[in-house]
Amino acid sequence: MAEQRSQWGSRLGFVLAAAGSAVGLGNIWKFPYITGENGGGLFVLIYLVCIALVGIPIMMAEIMIGRAAQKQPVVAFSTLQGKKTAWAGVGWLGIIAGFVILSYYIVVAGWAMDFTLKSVVNITEPIHDTAEVEGSVYRVTTSTADMETMLIQRQAEKDLKYPVRRIKNKAKPSVWDDYDRYETALDKSEVVDVVKREMLAEVWTSESADTLTALGQTDLPDPNVSEEARNAYRDARNRLFEDNAFAKNIDRAESLMREVEILRKKQLLAVRVLYGEKTELEIRDEAEAVHRRAVIFQKVDDTFGAVAVDGWTSAFWSAIFMLLVILIVAGGISSGIERTCRILMPTLIFLILVMVIYGAFKDGFGEALSFVFKPDPSKLKASGVLEALGHAFFTLSLGMGAMITYGSYQKSKTGIVGQSVMIAILDTAIALLACMMIFPIIFSYDQEAAAGPGLVFKSMPLAFAEIGKGGMLLAILFFGLLVFAAITSAISLLEVVASYFIDQLGWARRKAAWTLGGIILVFGLGSAFASDPDFVLSSWQPSYGTDFFTTIDYLASNWLLPMGGLFIALYVGWGMPKRLREAEMTDVAPALVAGWLLLVRFIAPALVIVVLLQKVGVLDADELFHAWFNRPD
Ligand code: PHE
C-alpha cells in the first residue's frame, strides 16, 4: 500500500500545497472580522504570539508525524508506536473537526462565488451611479444649515469614539455588566428616562442648551419630571440597590457616564466652532460626499444581507463549491493543486497589495493602521485570547491533522523548520494585509469594525462601488481569487476526512471523495440556512445566543483545534519514539531542536491549557487583563 500512495511532485509542491491549505478564508474573511470584534491591536498581538510560540512548533510536529508515518492521521500514531494506541483518538478528533469546519466553510466560499457572479454582472457600478444621482438630489434639496448639523454630529461622534472608550475603561468590565443589567431592569420599569434627564440637567448648562437643540439633541433635560415618576424611579433604584456591591458598581458607572456626557457636550461645541470657519461651499461638498457614501453603504449592506438570509441561494452555491472540491480531491492530490497554487497565490497577494495601496489614500487609513497595530488597552478585550489561539490553529490548518496528511505525501527528511516558518510567515503576512485592505475602507465609511462574519462582503464592495468603472474588474478578480484561496484550503479539509476511508478502509479515492463530500454538504445545509427566517434553524439564535453557523465555527476552531493541537504537541514531545523524532531533524541545529522541544513539551501545552481553563470559567481574562493594564484610580 505504501508504495502506491500518491506523492507531491517536488519539495516545492509540498510547500505550495501546505501554504494553499493555510491561506484561505481564514486569512481574508475570518481574521479581519474577529480582529474587528475583539478590538484590534492587542488581539493581533496575542495572535502573533500564538503563531510564534504555538503555531510554528505544532506545524513542525504535524509535518514530522506525517512524514515519519507516511500515513493519514488516525493510522499515523499506531504506525509510529508500532502498536495500537490511544493517540489515534487525536486522528479521530481531527476527522470530526475537518467534517465540521468544511460544512460551514463551503457556505462562506459559496457567498464568495455568489459575489463573483454578482461582480461579473456588474452590481457595483450601478450602485456607484445611483449614489452620484442621490448625492446631487441631496445637494439641491438640503439646506446648508441641515448639512452642517449633520456634519457636526458625525464629526463629534467620531472624535468621541476613543475618549469615551477610555473613560469607560476606568471601570472593570464587571461594572459595565452590572450597569447593563441595571439599565435593562430600569428600562422595563420605564423610569430610566427620569434619571437620564436628571443627569443631563446637571451636565448641560442652560446657555449651551440652545446650541444643542439647534444640533438636533432632543433628549434635553426636562425640568418637569413629575413627582410620581421621581418616586417610582427611586423605588426601583432602591430595590436594585439592596445589594451593596451592586449599588457601588452602579454608582461608579453612573459617574463615568456623567463624564461621557460632559465630554460629548464639549466636543459638540468644539466641532461647531471648527465648522464655523468653513465656507458654505466646503460644507456642501463635504456633506454631499458623506451622503453619497451613506447611499453606497446602504446598498452594499442590503446586498450582503439579502444573501445571508437566503438559505436556498447559500445552499446552491455551497453545493457548486463542494462539487469543485470533490472533483479535485477525487482526481488525486498532486496534479492540480501544485500548479494552480503556483500561479494564483502570487496573483492574490498582488491584488491584496493593490487594494492596500488604494486604502492608503483613504482618510480611514491612519485609523486602520492604529486599530490593527496599536495594542491600546482601552480597546482591550482579553476574552479574545481563546479566539486568538483558536484562530492561530485555524489559519495555519493545524490541530486536525491536515498537515499530518499533507506531510505524509512527502518523502523528504529535511527542511522541516524552513518549511514551517515560511508557511507561517506567508500566512500571517496575508492575514495582516487583508486587515490593512479592509479597515481603511470601513473607517472611511464611518462603519464599525465589529461588523461580524459579513465584514469582507460588506466592506470590499464599498471600495469597488466608489471606484465606479474599474470597480467591476477588481471585484471579479478579488472575489474570484477568494474562491480560489478557499478551494485550496477546502481540499485539505476533505482530504483529511477522505484519506481515512482511502488508507484504512481501502475505498477508492473517487468513492471516498464523493460519499464524504456529499454527507458534509448535507450537514452544511444547517449553516446555509442558519440565518434564513423561513427555516427552523433560525430559532437556534434566540435559544443559543448566536446562529448555528457561528456556534459550530466557534466550537470547531476554539475547542476542537486547540485540543487536537495540544495532544499533537504532547505526542511529539513525550510520546513519539526519540529515534523517529530525531530522524526527521537531522538537518536542524541542536540548539534549535532543544528550543523546539521546550516549546512542544511545556510552553505550547501550557498556553493551550491556560486558555482553555479561562474559557471554562476558572479564570476571567477580561478582569485580569483590566487589572494589569489599567491602574485603578
Ligand atoms: N487554514 C484554512 C484557512 O485559513 C482553513 C483550514 C483549517 C484548512 C483547518 C484546513 C484545516 O482558511
Side-chain angles (χ1 to χ4, degrees):
M1 197 83 183
E3 301 80 55
Q4 296 156 13
R5 265 183 131 253
S6 36
Q7 290 288 327
W8 301 113
S10 63
R11 258 245 301 264
L12 182 68
F14 165 76
V15 175
L16 281 174
S21 166
V23 176
L25 294 174
N27 305 60
I28 297 163
W29 160 72
K30 195 170 176 191
F31 183 63
Y33 105 68
I34 58 177
T35 297
E37 287 186 336
N38 287 292
L42 190 81
F43 175 81
V44 173
L45 190 69
I46 298 173
Y47 156 83
L48 291 175
V49 171
C50 291
I51 293 280
L53 295 185
V54 183
I56 294 177
I58 293 183
M59 169 85 75
M60 287 170 58
E62 286 206 27
I63 297 176
M64 176 179 287
I65 295 173
R67 272 191 347 193
Q70 296 285 304
K71 288 282 184 316
Q72 66 78 44
V74 175
V75 193
F77 293 94
S78 18
T79 307
L80 296 180
Q81 293 307 102
K83 55 173 198 270
K84 266 199 177 323
T85 159
W87 290 108
V90 181
W92 279 109
L93 203 66
I95 291 181
I96 296 169
F99 188 99
V100 173
I101 293 175
L102 187 55
S103 80
Y104 66 82
Y105 206 83
I106 57 174
V107 176
V108 182
W111 293 341
M113 289 186 105
D114 184 52
F115 269 66
T116 312
L117 186 76
K118 283 196 165 78
S119 309
V120 171
V121 299
N122 197 358
I123 58 154
T124 48
E125 202 182 316
I127 292 179
H128 173 88
D129 297 344
T130 314
E132 292 286 314
V133 173
E134 289 198 20
S136 310
V137 171
Y138 174 80
R139 189 176 192 111
V140 290
T141 56
T142 311
S143 72
T144 311
D146 283 355
M147 287 181 172
E148 189 178 5
T149 303
M150 182 271 285
L151 290 176
I152 291 174
Q153 293 217 323
R154 170 179 172 273
Q155 190 57 47
E157 285 313 317
K158 254 185 146 164
D159 297 345
L160 284 167
K161 209 157 111 187
Y162 294 123
V164 164
R165 216 171 295 177
R166 217 157 291 139
I167 291 178
K168 289 197 171 176
N169 223 51
K170 288 189 193 165
K172 288 189 294 190
S174 52
V175 168
W176 296 109
D177 289 346
D178 280 356
Y179 187 66
D180 279 347
R181 193 147 66 88
Y182 165 79
E183 281 225 304
T184 322
L186 283 189
D187 255 342
K188 291 253 156 62
S189 67
E190 286 173 33
V191 288
V192 73
D193 246 23
V194 182
V195 69
K196 281 236 174 83
R197 280 188 225 146
E198 291 193 327
M199 196 170 92
L200 295 177
E202 279 173 44
V203 168
W204 287 353
T205 55
S206 57
E207 97 266 13
S208 61
D210 293 343
T211 318
L212 295 163
T213 316
L215 289 171
Q217 292 279 337
T218 49
D219 53 351
L220 282 182
D222 171 6
N224 306 318
V225 175
S226 79
E227 204 48 45
E228 287 145 77
R230 213 178 283 277
N231 287 336
Y233 165 69
R234 265 187 215 122
D235 274 359
R237 235 170 109 93
N238 285 341
R239 245 168 271 140
L240 286 168
F241 283 4
E242 279 158 14
D243 175 353
N244 252 334
F246 187 77
K248 237 177 97 192
N249 279 351
I250 303 307
D251 263 357
R252 180 88 180 107
E254 282 187 340
S255 82
L256 290 178
M257 289 310 281
R258 208 159 282 149
E259 272 184 51
V260 168
E261 279 312 320
I262 294 174
L263 201 67
R264 169 158 293 130
K265 179 197 103 187
K266 281 196 188 136
Q267 198 55 35
L268 276 168
L269 296 176
V271 175
R272 181 146 210 234
V273 171
L274 189 85
Y275 272 84
E277 283 163 17
K278 297 205 178 188
T279 67
E280 200 162 303
L281 186 66
E282 278 171 339
I283 289 173
R284 299 186 66 78
D285 282 346
E286 191 181 333
E288 187 187 336
V290 168
H291 185 80
R292 212 185 301 125
R293 284 185 173 184
V295 174
I296 292 182
F297 176 77
Q298 204 47 55
K299 300 241 178 280
V300 166
D301 201 53
D302 292 348
T303 308
F304 178 74
V307 177
V309 297
D310 178 0
W312 293 107
T313 304
S314 300
F316 170 77
W317 286 112
S318 311
I320 302 278
F321 181 81
M322 188 52 128
L323 195 71
L324 289 174
V325 175
I326 291 173
L327 285 173
I328 298 177
V329 172
I333 46 119
S334 79
S335 52
I337 307 179
E338 290 184 44
R339 218 165 326 126
T340 32
C341 283
R342 214 183 201 134
I343 305 165
L344 291 177
M345 191 102 75
T347 321
L348 176 68
I349 297 173
F350 178 74
L351 188 72
I352 293 177
L353 280 174
V354 169
M355 293 314 295
V356 172
I357 293 169
Y358 169 83
F361 290 98
K362 296 274 134 190
D363 48 10
F365 191 73
E367 193 180 352
L369 207 61
S370 72
F371 180 77
V372 177
F373 292 107
K374 198 168 147 231
D376 177 352
S378 76
K379 289 182 287 183
L380 182 71
K381 259 187 85 188
S383 52
V385 280
L386 178 70
E387 242 174 302
L389 179 78
H391 187 70
F393 284 102
F394 184 92
T395 192
L396 293 177
S397 305
L398 296 178
M400 53 155 287
M403 291 299 164
I404 298 183
T405 311
Y406 272 18
S408 77
Y409 302 128
Q410 190 189 22
K411 278 261 156 68
S412 152
K413 290 268 171 225
T414 54
I416 203 165
V417 179
Q419 289 174 348
S420 305
V421 170
M422 207 156 85
I423 295 166
I425 288 180
L426 181 72
D427 186 82
T428 306
I430 293 182
L432 294 176
L433 283 174
C435 282
M436 286 321 293
M437 161 179 89
I438 287 174
F439 286 119
I441 302 172
I442 287 292
F443 292 134
S444 303
Y445 273 74
D446 302 328
Q447 290 309 312
E448 276 303 315
L455 183 68
V456 69
F457 299 101
K458 291 181 187 174
S459 59
M460 295 310 291
L462 297 175
F464 303 139
E466 186 158 299
I467 291 169
K469 282 258 173 301
M472 173 187 179
L473 187 69
L474 285 171
I476 298 174
L477 269 175
F478 177 77
F479 288 111
L481 286 167
L482 186 58
V483 172
F484 158 76
I487 287 185
T488 55
S489 301
I491 49 186
S492 70
L493 287 160
L494 184 56
E495 184 69 29
V496 169
V497 183
S499 65
Y500 174 75
F501 294 79
I502 300 169
D503 279 6
Q504 194 58 12
L505 305 182
W507 286 22
R509 195 160 249 292
R510 267 169 186 290
K511 177 175 160 192
W514 282 98
T515 314
L516 293 153
I519 296 174
I520 292 171
L521 175 62
V522 172
F523 189 69
L525 292 178
S527 295
F529 283 92
S531 304
D532 191 325
D534 298 334
F535 196 66
V536 281
L537 273 180
S538 58
S539 62
W540 183 281
Q541 177 118 22
S543 20
Y544 292 90
T546 56
D547 59 33
F548 177 71
F549 167 98
T550 316
T551 311
I552 60 170
D553 175 22
Y554 189 83
L555 286 179
S557 334
N558 298 342
W559 289 96
L560 293 181
L561 298 185
M563 264 159 51
L566 171 65
F567 288 123
I568 287 167
L570 291 176
Y571 176 73
V572 291
W574 303 99
M576 187 172 180
K578 192 164 174 240
R579 158 184 61 82
L580 294 176
R581 188 172 64 218
E582 281 173 352
E584 298 294 326
M585 300 189 101
T586 49
D587 63 328
V588 185
L592 218 54
V593 177
W596 171 78
L597 263 180
L598 188 73
L599 286 169
V600 288
R601 280 192 168 158
F602 303 104
I603 297 177
L607 284 175
V608 175
I609 288 170
V610 165
V611 169
L612 292 181
L613 281 183
Q614 186 259 135
K615 220 46 210 182
V616 182
V618 179
L619 301 165
D620 186 336
D622 278 334
E623 298 275 303
L624 277 178
F625 267 61
H626 186 272
W628 283 341
F629 281 92
N630 298 276
R631 271 160 284 118
D633 60 295

